[in-house]
Amino acid sequence: MALIHGGQLQQIANQYKIPAEQWLDLSTGIAPTSYPIPHIPLSIWQNLPQSNSELLAAAKHYYQCEHITITNGSQAIIKALPELWQLKNNASQHVYLPKYGYKEHAQAWQKAGYELHFYLDELPPIDVIYPNSVLVIINPNNPTGKLFTRKIIMQYQALMQELNGLLVVDEAFMDVITADHSICSQVENSNTLVFRSFGKFFGLAGIRIGFLVANKNWCDIFNEHLGPWQVNGPAQVVAQHALKDTDWHQQQKQQLSTLRKKQEALLWQAFGSEVIAEIKGTDLFLTLSFNNVESAEKIYELLCQQAVYVRLTDEKDKLRFGITTEDKLDKLFNVCHSIK
């Protein structure tokens, strides 16, 4: 069964009979400002995608890694991984995942017949992890915003290697976190994979690029499994320019940080502490927990009725708000305040 994700604006607009252009769409964790599209030569549009050494070099520098595989989004890696891991370790039967998090991970392992074990905010105790198992860490977590230090993750990395297991770290939202939390530079053993997303931080989810950071053996396996033409030529050109533009990176980080602070203050002002229990997240999204867990569904419905689309979590007890631009904050405040 297909999982529900944010970004389904047309479907929601049809459901509530409000034209799509009238909505404030905060249902994803995609940056509201995007990297400007550079000139793309006509030949790039005319030809089949080629291996792009400049893009590979830019990605390796940006992610601080030695080996990398370019894909049309992390989803292709998530779906293929259980089968490929079983070929490497047919004794593997258990996978540990965050209870709150991107559900495509759990669905992929469940379909492959693995026994799922869920942990909450803290990673599972080291002494309970089975040999040959898989540990999935989303860092920072979506939607909880939970962030683990590199030191902690490397402790589990050493453990998983000792147990002949696999450590999978999803760093889809890491771009807005200080670089010393990422473990992309620490993946030379065969027991660690890191997923990185391009579209979220650069505000270009539509071009569908993702990266797998791993050792050479894993990158070769995925390149062979996924086959040619994973990423179209124009998307490669855009990513190549964007990954190298360090001035833009700093501007984007500063802008997102400023917008996040303003929006968080606005949400507290609009709803108040009598409604909101806490707000957690990153500079790409804010997740609201409520004093009354039933409030999440009610507020989601009321927001939709006024053309504000946010993400109701899978557990239906929290709301995740994507970050919006400053010119749309007044609408967000007025709608939230009116349904308090």
Side-chain angles (χ1 to χ4, degrees):
M1 182 178 69
L3 295 170
I4 298 173
H5 298 290
Q8 309 300 314
L9 177 58
Q10 191 58 60
Q11 178 180 330
I12 295 296
N14 292 341
Q15 180 181 341
Y16 287 88
K17 297 180 174 55
I18 303 173
E21 60 270 17
Q22 295 181 21
W23 285 76
L24 174 57
D25 185 359
L26 306 179
S27 66
T28 73
I30 299 165
T33 53
S34 58
Y35 186 78
I37 303 299
H39 170 69
I40 301 174
L42 180 60
S43 61
I44 298 296
W45 295 97
Q46 292 174 319
N47 298 327
L48 285 170
Q50 306 295 310
S51 177
N52 186 329
S53 59
E54 289 189 56
L55 172 57
L56 283 169
K60 289 176 183 179
H61 180 76
Y62 182 85
Y63 296 114
Q64 292 295 290
C65 62
E66 187 173 349
H67 302 287
I68 198 163
T69 290
I70 305 170
T71 75
N72 59 359
S74 299
Q75 190 57 38
I77 302 291
I78 292 171
K79 291 185 70 174
L81 180 56
E83 175 187 348
L84 297 178
W85 172 240
Q86 283 181 330
L87 293 175
K88 291 177 71 74
N89 187 340
N90 60 15
S92 186
Q93 300 176 350
H94 301 270
V95 59
Y96 298 81
L97 308 112
K99 181 177 180 181
Y100 294 97
Y102 187 56
K103 291 295 189 290
E104 294 286 352
H105 287 289
Q107 180 164 283
W109 291 103
Q110 186 174 42
K111 282 184 175 180
Y114 278 72
E115 183 175 339
L116 275 54
H117 307 268
F118 292 103
Y119 59 90
L120 294 174
D121 266 357
E122 300 305 324
L123 295 172
I126 285 176
D127 57 357
V128 306
I129 298 178
Y130 289 98
N132 304 298
S133 59
V134 180
L135 172 61
V136 177
I137 302 175
I138 304 174
N139 198 43
N141 185 275
N142 164 33
T144 68
K146 176 68 177 181
L147 180 67
F148 297 100
T149 65
R150 180 191 290 176
K151 180 179 179 181
I152 291 293
I153 292 182
M154 289 185 66
Q155 290 174 359
Y156 279 85
Q157 181 185 41
L159 171 69
M160 299 312 292
Q161 187 169 16
E162 181 182 328
L163 294 175
N164 195 32
L166 180 68
L167 174 65
V168 178
V169 185
D170 186 339
E171 293 186 352
F173 291 92
M174 185 59 75
D175 302 72
V176 294
I177 308 297
T178 53
D180 58 1
H181 280 81
S182 172
I183 65 158
C184 282
S185 62
Q186 310 291 327
V187 297
E188 281 311 299
N189 68 51
S190 61
N191 299 80
T192 308
L193 304 177
V194 183
F195 303 159
R196 293 296 296 251
S197 170
F198 174 86
K200 296 177 177 63
F201 174 69
F202 290 94
L204 294 170
I207 71 173
R208 302 307 301 146
I209 285 189
F211 296 92
L212 168 68
V213 178
N215 69 5
K216 184 178 185 301
N217 178 253
W218 268 116
C219 286
D220 288 345
I221 288 171
F222 271 99
N223 284 330
E224 181 177 351
H225 179 83
L226 295 171
W229 311 310
Q230 273 289 299
V231 179
N232 68 75
Q236 291 189 39
V237 172
V238 174
Q240 173 189 321
H241 281 80
L243 290 170
K244 293 164 65 174
D245 195 338
T246 54
D247 288 342
W248 188 89
H249 302 163
Q250 293 306 313
Q251 294 170 11
Q252 179 78 329
K253 288 177 182 178
Q254 183 58 55
Q255 181 172 230
L256 290 172
S257 176
T258 299
L259 289 172
R260 180 257 179 97
K261 290 172 184 174
K262 289 184 177 181
Q263 187 167 321
E264 186 168 354
L266 177 150
L267 290 169
W268 277 113
Q269 183 182 357
F271 287 113
S273 56
E274 64 271 25
V275 176
I276 299 176
E278 63 180 353
I279 300 178
K280 293 184 177 181
T282 71
D283 289 344
L284 286 167
F285 63 85
L286 294 167
T287 300
L288 277 60
S289 300
F290 299 93
N291 294 316
N292 181 349
V293 294
E294 295 179 357
S295 296
E297 283 192 271
K298 295 176 182 177
I299 292 174
Y300 172 80
E301 177 67 22
L302 292 169
L303 288 171
C304 284
Q305 290 174 7
Q306 297 196 56
V308 174
Y309 177 27
V310 301
R311 176 74 162 93
L312 178 64
T313 60
D314 298 287
E315 295 76 17
K316 302 188 186 304
D317 60 350
K318 298 178 178 63
L319 294 179
R320 190 193 68 189
F321 287 67
I323 304 301
T324 191
T325 51
E326 193 161 359
D327 61 304
K328 296 175 183 174
L329 288 176
D330 282 345
K331 175 176 180 177
L332 179 60
F333 175 81
N334 291 333
V335 172
C336 291
H337 187 69
S338 71
I339 66 174
K340 176 180 173 181

